[in-house]
Amino acid sequence: MISIFTSPLFYFFLTVGIYFLFAFLSKRFKTALFNPLLWTIIFIVGYILLIVFIDKKDLSQPNIDAEVDRYQSIVNVFDILLAPVTVALALPLYANRHVLKENWLAIIVASLVGVGTSIGAVVLLGWLLNLDGSITMALYPRGVTTAIAKEITVILGVSEHTAITVAVVVLTGIVGATLGPLLIKLFHDKNDVVVGLALGSASHAIGTSKAFDYSSKAGAIASVSIVTNGFVTVLVALIVHFATMGA
């Protein structure tokens, strides 16, 4: 009986169903507290723990790892969709290309400041917490979208820590998309350029989807922030990589 509730189709539709439920609640109540990605993660983690407990009566790490591996093998289709979803952001970019031409300097400056702050904070925390160098490097791309971040781990030669990178990227996106709208409301600043740069630079694809809730212009600005942030982060990653090789 338990196999029905751990079947590929059930896991797939459970994940999609939870996401769309909270996406609906987020739009219905107009609050970032119902962030669909955050609650999907929480519910899926809870569901996997419940399934392991019911099936094995033992929440030991090997049993949990086995069920997590089963779930990941089923939903790998979402990883496949990451790249085309990122590329699809080119559509609003093209539609609002005149907006981008008018604000190119602000976009470049925001990207440089955002990437510099992001990687600088990682280096500082890595030093303070005495983290292993490879783990610190795996955290460098936390400020870019998942598809780009995974490629950066390959460039840096730390692909064995890809899971850490993805987890931190998702966490960064969720926190930015949740707190960003609250800060925008607090400071009473709904300028489309400011909103787009803030959400796109701070929380990449998740923040960009939130920026479109404000306006297509804000979404377009956030979309280009993903591209420029990704480019700058890759450039920094290459510099770090070659500097490490020469050391």
Side-chain angles (χ1 to χ4, degrees), residues 38-49:
L38 172 63
W39 286 104
T40 300
I41 292 172
I42 292 173
F43 270 80
I44 291 299
V45 169
Y47 183 81
I48 288 176
L49 291 176

Side-chain angles (χ1 to χ4, degrees), residues 19-245:
Y19 182 90
F20 278 105
L21 170 62
F22 280 96
F24 167 77
L25 291 175
S26 180
K27 289 185 179 295
R28 175 67 178 79
F29 295 102
K30 300 185 185 302
T31 174
L33 297 178
F34 285 125
N35 183 283
L37 186 56
L38 172 63
W39 286 104
T40 300
I41 292 172
I42 292 173
F43 270 80
I44 291 299
V45 169
Y47 183 81
I48 288 176
L49 291 176
L50 179 62
I51 285 295
V52 171
F53 180 75
I54 293 174
D55 189 31
K56 305 292 185 181
K57 303 295 189 297
D58 179 13
L59 289 176
S60 62
Q61 195 63 47
N63 289 338
I64 295 173
D65 289 344
E67 194 60 35
V68 169
D69 288 342
R70 186 209 298 268
Y71 174 80
Q72 288 181 325
S73 67
I74 292 165
V75 297
N76 274 341
V77 63
F78 297 123
D79 282 340
I80 297 172
L81 294 174
L82 278 175
V85 165
T86 303
V87 173
L89 292 172
L91 294 176
L93 285 180
Y94 180 78
N96 293 274
R97 58 192 181 280
H98 61 286
V99 175
L100 307 181
K101 290 179 181 178
E102 295 169 1
N103 300 280
W104 64 271
L105 182 58
I107 293 169
I108 292 175
V109 171
S111 294
L112 291 173
V113 172
V115 172
T117 302
S118 177
I119 295 180
V122 168
V123 171
L124 178 60
L125 288 174
W127 176 71
L128 290 174
L129 299 175
N130 196 28
L131 293 178
D132 181 80
S134 61
I135 294 179
T136 300
M137 284 194 291
L139 298 177
Y140 285 173
R142 71 179 185 86
V144 298
T145 191
T146 306
I148 300 174
K150 292 174 72 173
E151 293 302 318
I152 292 176
T153 62
V154 175
I155 293 172
L156 292 175
V158 292
S159 56
E160 69 273 17
H161 298 309
T162 298
I164 294 175
T165 301
V166 172
V168 174
V169 166
V170 172
L171 180 61
T172 299
I174 290 173
V175 171
T178 302
L179 296 183
L182 298 178
L183 291 174
I184 291 169
K185 185 176 182 180
L186 176 65
F187 290 102
H188 304 289
D189 193 341
K190 292 190 177 181
N191 179 281
D192 289 332
V193 176
V194 174
V195 169
L197 289 175
L199 293 176
S201 297
S203 47
H204 41 79
I206 302 174
T208 298
S209 65
K210 189 65 183 176
F212 277 107
D213 290 343
Y214 288 89
S215 70
S216 60
K217 180 178 177 179
I221 295 291
S223 299
V224 79
S225 293
I226 291 179
V227 178
T228 53
N229 276 21
F231 175 77
V232 173
T233 305
V234 169
L235 185 61
V236 172
L238 284 171
I239 293 171
V240 171
H241 175 64
F242 288 121
T244 304
M245 287 179 60

